[in-house]
Amino acid sequence: MKPEHSPFRPGQPADLELFVGRAEQISRVTQLVTNAAHGRFQIAFLTGERGIGKTSLASFARYLAERDETAATSHVFLGDIDAVDRFVHQTLEHIVKDNVGKPWYKNIVQIFGERVDSIGLFNVSIKLRFTPDDMHAATNSFPQALRTIQTSLAQERATLFIVLDDIDSIAQSSDFAHWLKSMVDTIAIDQTPTNVTLLLVGLEEARRSLITLQPSLARVFDVIDVQPWNQQESEDFFRKCFDSVDGSIDADALLFMTQMTGGLPVVAHEIGDAVYRLAVKYPVDMDVAIRGTLRAAEAIGHKILQPQIVEALRSAEYREILRTLPKQPLTHEFRRSELIERLPPDSGRAVSAFLRRMRGLGAITQDPERGRGAYRFTNPAYYLYFWLQSYSVRNGPRPHV
């Protein structure tokens, strides 16, 4: 199979036509946009583990809002943005950029006037040039700025839907937490219809950080939690991807690959891509599924885990401990006693050293709710990598599925 034709997109949001599942979460976001179209300001927090598909879900929700001709939209990636003024500038600039070519684009540009700087062929690079006074005014009157933008496109779209993705860095800022609460309060007190939805996207730790810094935010967000795919959703994903390239996959190979993902889209894309590249004929059989999954394990380790973790797992002592992991990747919780029971009697010190090392590197953490000696992986993707490595180490018969 030609690699460039792979339907899988490791490390990237899924293609819209290959999006599967998430019906409940999509319905909730759609309802937020509908509410905003009737003048009720909405703010929600889309949360979930790394690799769970938050960005893909937000992108799909944005696509639906535009397709249904309800909203003008923008998807703002915040990355290392860590200050309120930079957040405001990034958001306003992306609103302009993301609406280039739309019927209402000129209306938005007129709001900013000469501050809009179009660069490059076909004006594809848009910059907002703000003076310090402009930046101060925009930061202090951000709700009014959003309302003005939405009003300018009201004849074409009933609402403005803004995805604020990768919020994790600025969520550590006390200034941002208090500014955000002040912004929400300003909109509420003003009582002027504000046909805007803000969808913050980030890890649960980011939401908790904002609430710790400004406790009143706990009652502000409509929280939408993204859970791992269930078995059927994972199967649908693989089928849909292989169908898109006129391919197919044996039932046992499909079940094996589905179980190996642990319901994580980031892992499913890596496994699917590796299997696709190894396949020389259809349907994909169990041998190709296993070899592709093990190849994907290495890619997952290098992309998701810290290099120190990957390097540590190469030691002979630690690889022996890997043999003791469960035979199926169905949970990312374990007990110290479970590891020791499967090792020689004198392995207690080695297991303790392994646990200390993995805790220090952030791969696992103690789970006090389950009692002494209980641990869990800090990210389900970490567990899957450990499990895939353990299968490689065992090098026994193919797993029972």
Side-chain angles (χ1 to χ4, degrees), residues 32-79:
L32 293 173
V33 175
T34 300
N35 293 344
H38 290 85
R40 300 194 295 274
F41 172 71
Q42 306 287 292
I43 182 167
F45 202 113
L46 185 68
T47 182
E49 298 279 2
R50 288 182 177 86
I52 204 74
K54 300 183 294 297
T55 294
S56 292
L57 193 157
S59 296
F60 190 70
R62 179 190 173 200
Y63 159 75
L64 292 178
E66 287 208 348
R67 186 199 66 179
D68 296 341
E69 299 186 353
T70 301
T73 71
S74 180
H75 197 143
V76 186
F77 292 93
L78 296 168

Side-chain angles (χ1 to χ4, degrees), residues 102-113:
K102 305 294 174 63
W104 52 85
Y105 172 67
K106 290 184 178 180
N107 296 344
I108 296 177
V109 170
Q110 287 177 357
I111 295 172
F112 296 99

Side-chain angles (χ1 to χ4, degrees), residues 140-151:
N140 288 339
S141 59
F142 189 64
Q144 293 87 338
L146 296 180
R147 192 180 299 128
T148 299
I149 293 171
Q150 190 280 317
T151 302

Side-chain angles (χ1 to χ4, degrees), residues 155 239 331 358 384:
Q155 291 186 348
R239 284 199 188 97
T331 176
M358 293 301 110
L384 287 166

